[in-house]
Amino acid sequence: MTKDLVLIVEDDPAISKMLHYILKQDGYKCIISENLKNALRTFQTHNPEIILLDLGLPDGDGKSFIKTVRKETTIPIIIVSARHDEHEIVAALDAGADDYVIKPFSDIELSARIRSAQRRSIGVSPSHDTIVCGDIILEHDALVAYKKGVALNLTPTEFNLLKYFMTHPNQVLTHANVLKEVWGVGYQNEMHYLRTFVNSLRKKIEDDSSRPHYIVTQMRVGYRFNCENEKL
Ligand code: CA
């Protein structure tokens, strides 16, 4: 197994030490930067394969760093953040970060997030005609989706929303992002559209829409579409 290099950007030594410990057990090499200036230099000189980024750093909040990295590469950027920073998390995701973990997190959770983000960045798959997630099948060209083999009676917007979710499985999608991608530029703040359509879609695809299995709410951030045939 090749040892991917992870750049850890974190000013709290206790946390960077813990991240390093977890990542080393998973077979990654690590390099730690305590501030953004140093992180930028390390990014340019070491070409890391993954970045773990704390948002509260001594010399800034990390969004400009995400934008700089995104201009050059699509490597996974995972935010490691405190719970009260939800606005910052959303801004970071919109700036191009892939996912986030909230402190305190478990080693299992962190490993799963990293593997999942890596798989996505490697296998940004060419458009397949058919996408399968659990017992849901979506056929692009036929504009039809099935659950347990039975065609779902979806409106065009519900279909587009489901298609967007199914083509971006197991990753956090911010409200603004889903609105922009499904409804278009200019709709980023129309939260009630999204909530309404997510609710109606849940009624059609979930076994129990009050306890959704597929479209999971990420409190104040957005949604994550669970796709289980992709093994974590
Ligand atoms: Ca910090």
Side-chain angles (χ1 to χ4, degrees), residues 93-94 98 100 164-166 168-178 194 218 221-225:
L93 292 166
D94 285 335
D98 293 276
Y100 67 98
Y164 184 66
F165 280 138
M166 289 180 76
H168 299 81
N170 305 323
Q171 72 188 89
V172 63
L173 303 165
T174 65
H175 297 123
N177 206 278
V178 180
L194 184 54
Q218 304 284 290
V221 173
Y223 299 97
R224 185 187 296 273
F225 192 87

Side-chain angles (χ1 to χ4, degrees), residues 10-12 54 56-57 103:
E10 170 64 74
D11 60 327
D12 182 336
D54 174 30
L57 290 155
K103 301 171 196 171

Side-chain angles (χ1 to χ4, degrees), residues 125-172:
S125 51
S127 63
H128 292 294
D129 294 346
T130 303
I131 315 170
V132 182
C133 281
D135 57 13
I136 299 177
I137 298 173
L138 183 136
E139 290 181 1
H140 275 255
D141 294 346
L143 301 177
V144 65
Y146 302 88
K147 181 179 167 76
K148 294 177 182 149
V150 179
L152 293 165
N153 186 15
L154 302 178
T155 66
T157 304
E158 287 168 351
F159 180 84
N160 287 336
L161 183 60
L162 180 62
K163 180 170 143 185
Y164 184 66
F165 280 138
M166 289 180 76
T167 48
H168 299 81
N170 305 323
Q171 72 188 89
V172 63

Side-chain angles (χ1 to χ4, degrees), residues 47-60:
N47 294 319
E49 274 90 14
I50 304 159
I51 297 174
L52 295 186
L53 178 67
D54 174 30
L55 288 176
L57 290 155
D59 55 345

Side-chain angles (χ1 to χ4, degrees), residues 174-195:
T174 65
H175 297 123
N177 206 278
V178 180
L179 282 161
K180 194 177 83 194
E181 297 300 327
V182 177
W183 278 266
V185 176
Y187 285 86
Q188 284 95 317
N189 298 315
E190 305 290 343
M191 289 280 290
H192 60 287
Y193 280 40
L194 184 54
R195 223 170 282 134

Side-chain angles (χ1 to χ4, degrees), residues 57-147:
L57 290 155
D59 55 345
D61 72 1
K63 282 196 292 292
S64 59
F65 178 65
I66 296 170
K67 286 179 186 158
T68 306
V69 172
R70 275 289 163 266
K71 276 184 203 146
E72 299 183 25
T73 162
T74 59
I75 61 164
I77 303 173
I78 298 170
I79 303 301
V80 179
S81 182
R83 185 167 295 282
H84 57 80
D85 278 345
E86 272 138 354
H87 282 295
E88 285 299 299
I89 293 170
V90 172
L93 292 166
D94 285 335
D98 293 276
D99 209 338
Y100 67 98
V101 289
I102 301 273
K103 301 171 196 171
F105 46 82
S106 70
D107 51 349
I108 294 167
E109 187 187 359
L110 180 73
S111 303
R113 289 279 186 277
I114 292 175
R115 279 200 305 276
S116 168
Q118 263 191 310
R119 248 198 333 263
R120 281 195 302 274
S121 83
I122 298 164
V124 181
S125 51
S127 63
H128 292 294
D129 294 346
T130 303
I131 315 170
V132 182
C133 281
D135 57 13
I136 299 177
I137 298 173
L138 183 136
E139 290 181 1
H140 275 255
D141 294 346
L143 301 177
V144 65
Y146 302 88
K147 181 179 167 76

